[in-house]
Amino acid sequence: MSNAVDALLVIVLLLNFFALGTSRLHAIINATALQGVLLGALAVLVHRTFSAQPILIAAGAALIKGFIIPWLLARAMRDVAIRREVEPFIGYIPSLFAGAVATALAILFARTLPLAEEHVGSLLIPASLATVLTGFIILTTRRKTITQVAGYLILENGIFIMGLTLVEAIPFLVEVGVLLDLLVGIFIMGIMIYQINLEFASLDTTELSRLKE
Amino acid sequence: MALALVLVPLAFALLVIALPSNRWRPLCVSVGGAAHLALTLVALNLPEVTGLGGWLLLDPMARLVLLLTSTLFFLCSLYARGYLAFHSELSNRVFCACMLGFIGVLTLVVEAQHLGLMWVAIETTTLVSAPMLTFNRDRRSLEAAWKYLLIGSVGIALALLGSLFLAYSALRSGLTPSLLASDMVHDAPLLSRPWLRSAFVMLFIGYGTKMGLAPMHTWKPDAYGEAPGVVGTLLAGGLTNCAFLAILRFYAICISAGDSGFARDLMIVAGLLSMAVAGVFMARQKDIKRMLAYSSVEHMGILVLGMGIGGGAVFGSMLHMLNNGLTKGVLFLSAANVQRAYASKSTDEVRGALQRVPISGALMLAGFFAITGSPPFGPFLSEFTILNSAISEGRYLIAALFLGLLAVVFIGMGATVLTVVQGTPSERASVSTFRDGFSTAAPPLILMALVLLLGVYVPQPVETLVRNAASVFEFHAAVAEAP
């Protein structure tokens, strides 16, 4: 079972790199969507018990992260008619490199922390931290509002992986709350992307720089 | 009862959404605010208020923050009627519903004893407050709201990671992980230290972003600068304190674990840095509301600094939370009146506010003296308590830096405020018909009276409230030192 978990986590990590290296917005949204579906599968594999509650959460996560949110973003993209990220603040090759460094650091950091017995040798915690850092890199280096949202989603995916190590600690109500907050948050961001596009006739966040000292 | 405090404003929010007329909604917000304040006063007189099977509880810290938040909200709801009447051409459905939703969710943050539920509630406050920022629908407010939403959500996401780290620290020690504050405080001595520390750092960055501590404060000048004054008040006097409360809940766990030294150092450094950054950006600040945002950064710094110093400064911090919240209300609401009277918020155009809007101009001046710690106002008392404790704890360098930074801020802020209130209004600045009216002048006036009251005489029930909140941290320290 843990082999299957690690295999899926490797795919999650590869998707991080794919997201870091692509300039096509559809591709990056699809990468986050696929990550979302994989997280649902991971949740089922990690929980191992086939009781109703974990299955419900896994299905909810896969549905929201894998389908509903990507659909919201794809719709926002269609409304504002853009396809590609403009040249980011740092290029694609440097950001891939940064992603590699971040992944290495995540693995090192996870080694310095004492792990519970069942997680020694598992990729769960390093993959979680690496995904969080990847999201952070995308969020801070890209110019389009939609790509920033994708970065935020990847960051959230990383946190979700960390949550997989703590099945007992997070009650059903809180898991549902976290997912709903994410969904509503993306929904509001979608509306704002639309409004920003109307006002600025562009989604380039360099336009969003009137307010400064 | 604890649940009613959350649900009553939310019920009013639903009512507001259903109302078809722009005219009746602001009244509904005021009634909702009054109901919330009344419930709060009843709840504060009850010995124990719980809900959701112990997930909600009015503990001493929650009592203090709830009283402040509810008072501030009620006065803001009165002010909002005047404000929204001035902007009667814009639909206020979303704005009014979000205001009521905001106070409901903020109450949930304050009462939540389950740290996961608290996280969900804090993230929800971001979501309900972002639409309020875009009330004016212009480019600048959209930009500000986007930054607020994105930076806020990412910061809060890190706090979630921190909360999970904290749960992991229990798992690693072979305990059953739980995120209920009482369980965590109880189990604290057994928690895995490296995870506990990593958790606190993540949480401090996460909730510190929401609180607006430097260097995670970057959303604040934009959001406060573009938000309507009433929203600025609710964010600076309400939301930031709730984020502070969240940090304190985790700090309490560190103290119980007997491992609070690093947390205290972190708070002292962040506190002084916030004050310094605020001092730098306040100098020659032409935008009145951005200046207030930096003032908020400064005072959030003072709050964490006081907690970091410890001892009597903890009481000072708690009292300062009250004083800062009320004074920020005076400043944001009066500054908003001045802005509307001139249709500008830049010192290039705004001069002679004492002549054009005498009450708001005078309130802004008095609020400036109060927030910079001049006697006889409340903040003087709390800042003096913090300074006094720093010296009696032997932290002379911190005391000197604290005093020096307060002086820098006084000069920087004074230059802007004095330019605004003194002199005569220029010809160019006669575009607006707005003048002081009852509903826009009375709320900041009442707030100012409260700030003055807290400076000359802290009423017994309030002092008990503050003392009980501060004693939470002494108790934990005693437990940690006992064995």
Side-chain angles (χ1 to χ4, degrees), chain B residues 127-206:
Chain B
L127 303 180
V128 291
S129 50
M132 289 198 282
L133 291 182
T134 59
F135 180 63
N136 286 317
R137 302 246 156 208
D138 53 6
R139 284 187 169 204
R140 298 172 59 95
S141 63
L142 270 175
E143 177 185 341
W146 179 258
K147 285 182 184 166
Y148 172 70
L149 191 57
L150 206 65
I151 297 176
S153 299
V154 171
I156 289 294
L158 291 183
L160 178 60
L161 191 61
S163 308
L164 296 178
F165 277 17
L166 186 70
Y168 200 88
S169 74
L171 184 73
R172 156 70 194 164
S173 305
L175 305 161
T176 308
S178 144
L179 280 170
L180 212 58
S182 52
D183 290 352
M184 295 303 295
V185 166
H186 179 262
D187 292 339
L190 303 172
L191 298 176
S192 161
R193 289 288 166 88
W195 283 101
L196 177 65
R197 289 188 176 197
S198 312
F200 188 79
V201 172
M202 286 285 184
L203 288 158
F204 191 76
I205 295 174

Side-chain angles (χ1 to χ4, degrees), chain A residues 19-83:
Chain A
L20 280 166
T22 182
S23 66
R24 286 173 50 242
L25 295 179
H26 264 303
I28 197 167
I29 290 173
N30 289 340
T32 59
L34 184 53
Q35 260 191 355
V37 175
L38 289 175
L39 294 188
L42 272 169
V44 175
L45 285 176
V46 170
H47 290 196
R48 269 179 255 185
T49 52
F50 287 89
S51 54
Q53 199 164 304
I55 300 275
L56 221 59
I57 289 293
L63 186 68
I64 290 178
K65 286 171 183 274
F67 296 98
I68 300 178
I69 287 177
W71 174 74
L72 277 174
L73 287 180
R75 207 186 56 166
M77 261 178 66
R78 199 185 56 221
D79 286 346
V80 299
I82 48 159
R83 283 167 208 284

Side-chain angles (χ1 to χ4, degrees), chain B residues 60-120:
Chain B
M61 274 192 289
R63 283 168 187 260
L64 180 65
V65 180
L66 183 64
L67 177 64
L68 170 62
T69 314
S70 189
T71 309
L72 214 51
F73 182 80
F74 174 62
L75 291 169
C76 281
S77 71
L78 297 182
Y79 181 93
R81 295 176 65 189
Y83 171 71
L84 293 171
F86 190 71
H87 283 291
S88 53
E89 77 285 1
L90 297 169
S91 166
N92 58 27
R93 175 177 271 141
V94 173
F95 188 85
C96 288
C98 281
M99 258 186 98
L100 285 161
F102 186 69
I103 186 65
V105 185
L106 221 49
T107 308
L108 186 62
V109 175
V110 172
E111 294 183 326
Q113 295 294 313
H114 190 282
L115 303 176
L117 179 67
M118 184 180 74
W119 184 90
V120 170

Side-chain angles (χ1 to χ4, degrees), chain B residues 6 30 47 60 144 170 174 201 205 209 245 255 258 260 273 277 304 380 426 428 453:
Chain B
V6 177
S30 300
V201 172
I205 295 174
T209 307
L245 178 81
I255 294 178
S260 62
L273 181 67
V277 166
V304 291
F380 167 72
S426 69
R428 206 154 60 91
L453 176 71

